[in-house]
Amino acid sequence: REPRAHQFSLAALSNMGERKVLNKYFPPDFDPSKIPRTKKADLNPNFVVRMMLPMSVRCMTCGEYMYKGKKFNSRKEDVEGPEGEYLGIKIFRFYFKCITCSAEFTIKTDPKNMDYAVEGGAKANFVPYKDEEKQRQEQLDAREASEKDDTMAQLENKTKDSKLEMDILDGLDDIRSQNARVARLEMDDVIGRHRAETERLQRIEDERARAAAEADAGELAAFAEQRVKRLKEEEPRPPAAATASSSAAAVGGSSGPSWEERLWDSSPGPVAQGPTLAHPSHP
């Protein structure tokens, strides 16, 4: 009797053999000629392919938006008839189903524009660059139609093209010269230019500050001059007798404050650019 471990190993080998079947059983009376053969043209060209939406579309049944890159299990078929080829390139049609209402819509390849085109059941979203390309193509077609029988139009278009080309070349020359100028710059030159510009701005700021200070000093001097003039005008003039008595009193040594002293006492201080000081004649 075989040991138990050996029985388990044989069971495992048999299970692995069943799982990985490489050879199939053919009965003795098997005749491969009796298998029906079908031609390749009779095969159904429709088959399921896993692909993504080539563009963003909107379902015309429920209004659901399906965006570019959404994965679908679509049916693929060849387009029949004269529309099935473009310059020898085969055109294919793909059937999709809406993710909300399961309504079917079709998209086919467009080799002429190297793109896809929606046939029915959905509507492609607006793409700006496609509209620009379409407008550019329309302009080219209109130009060719206008130049077909008009020599002057051909000459004018050639003149415009040459002028545009010259402008483009001038712009390229400017860009090249600017790049060469930037390439010749070194770090020391950049630092020196920055330092010179900073010094220039500092000099301008200092000159503005000096001019402002001079203007303030002139205004203060004009204010002081006007004040002195007003004090002189406001000082009363005594009559002749009073003048004589005052002169006698002055000889005796007693007199009142003069206009200079009164100006000194009433001075606000900023005229002399410093604190207000007492007059030497007053304690």
Side-chain angles (χ1 to χ4, degrees):
R1 190 175 181 181
E2 296 179 354
R4 189 175 184 81
H6 185 61
Q7 292 179 359
F8 281 124
S9 62
L10 291 177
L13 289 175
S14 63
N15 291 334
M16 291 182 65
E18 291 176 0
R19 185 170 62 85
K20 296 182 179 180
V21 177
L22 301 179
N23 298 323
K24 296 182 179 180
Y25 173 74
F26 294 96
D29 57 348
F30 174 72
D31 187 5
S33 60
K34 294 181 180 180
I35 298 176
R37 301 287 180 176
T38 58
K39 295 182 179 180
K40 189 174 182 180
D42 298 336
L43 296 176
N44 187 8
N46 293 339
F47 58 94
V48 178
V49 294
R50 181 77 170 174
M51 65 175 295
M52 294 184 291
L53 272 180
M55 64 188 74
S56 298
V57 298
R58 182 186 182 189
C59 179
M60 300 300 293
T61 304
C62 64
E64 176 70 20
Y65 284 95
M66 290 163 282
Y67 297 97
K68 181 179 179 180
K70 179 73 176 176
K71 292 183 179 180
F72 286 89
N73 292 325
S74 60
R75 291 187 295 112
K76 174 186 174 184
E77 71 174 8
D78 300 339
V79 177
E80 302 295 338
E83 298 179 355
E85 288 187 1
Y86 173 77
L87 300 180
I89 302 174
K90 194 69 177 174
I91 298 177
F92 301 99
R93 180 182 291 111
F94 300 94
Y95 294 88
F96 299 87
K97 286 188 177 181
C98 177
I99 59 177
T100 302
C101 64
S102 298
E104 195 171 58
F105 61 95
T106 58
I107 296 176
K108 69 176 182 179
T109 57
D110 187 8
K112 181 178 180 180
N113 300 318
M114 295 181 292
D115 201 358
Y116 290 84
V118 180
E119 275 193 318
K123 182 179 180 181
N125 292 352
F126 175 73
V127 182
Y129 74 88
K130 291 184 179 180
D131 189 58
E132 291 178 2
E133 293 178 357
K134 184 179 179 181
Q135 291 180 0
R136 191 181 300 111
Q137 187 63 34
E138 289 177 355
Q139 291 176 359
L140 292 176
D141 295 340
R143 176 174 175 175
E144 291 178 357
S146 64
E147 292 179 353
K148 188 174 182 181
D149 299 326
D150 193 351
T151 309
M152 292 301 296
Q154 295 179 4
L155 182 60
E156 290 176 359
N157 292 332
K158 287 181 181 179
T159 306
K160 290 180 181 179
D161 293 341
S162 61
K163 186 177 181 302
L164 180 61
E165 186 176 358
M166 290 176 63
D167 294 340
I168 292 173
L169 292 176
D170 293 340
L172 289 175
D173 291 338
D174 294 340
I175 293 173
R176 290 195 189 98
S177 60
Q178 184 178 1
N179 291 339
R181 192 163 55 249
V182 171
R184 287 195 300 269
L185 286 177
E186 296 182 358
M187 186 61 67
D188 296 337
D189 297 338
V190 175
I191 294 174
R193 290 183 181 181
H194 179 68
R195 187 174 297 148
E197 183 67 18
T198 305
E199 292 176 356
R200 186 180 68 83
L201 295 175
Q202 186 65 32
R203 284 197 302 271
I204 293 173
E205 190 68 24
D206 294 342
E207 290 176 359
R208 290 178 179 175
R210 192 182 303 110
E214 291 177 356
D216 294 340
E219 291 179 359
L220 290 174
F223 174 75
E225 185 178 356
Q226 291 178 0
R227 186 174 180 80
V228 169
K229 185 177 180 181
R230 187 172 63 252
L231 288 173
K232 284 182 178 180
E233 292 175 352
E234 292 177 354
E235 184 178 2
R237 294 184 179 182
T243 306
S245 62
S246 64
S247 60
V251 173
S254 62
S255 63
S258 63
W259 66 269
E260 292 91 348
E261 294 175 352
R262 287 189 288 109
L263 175 62
W264 180 272
D265 293 338
S266 63
S267 175
V271 177
Q273 299 294 329
T276 305
L277 300 178
H279 195 272
S281 63
H282 296 279

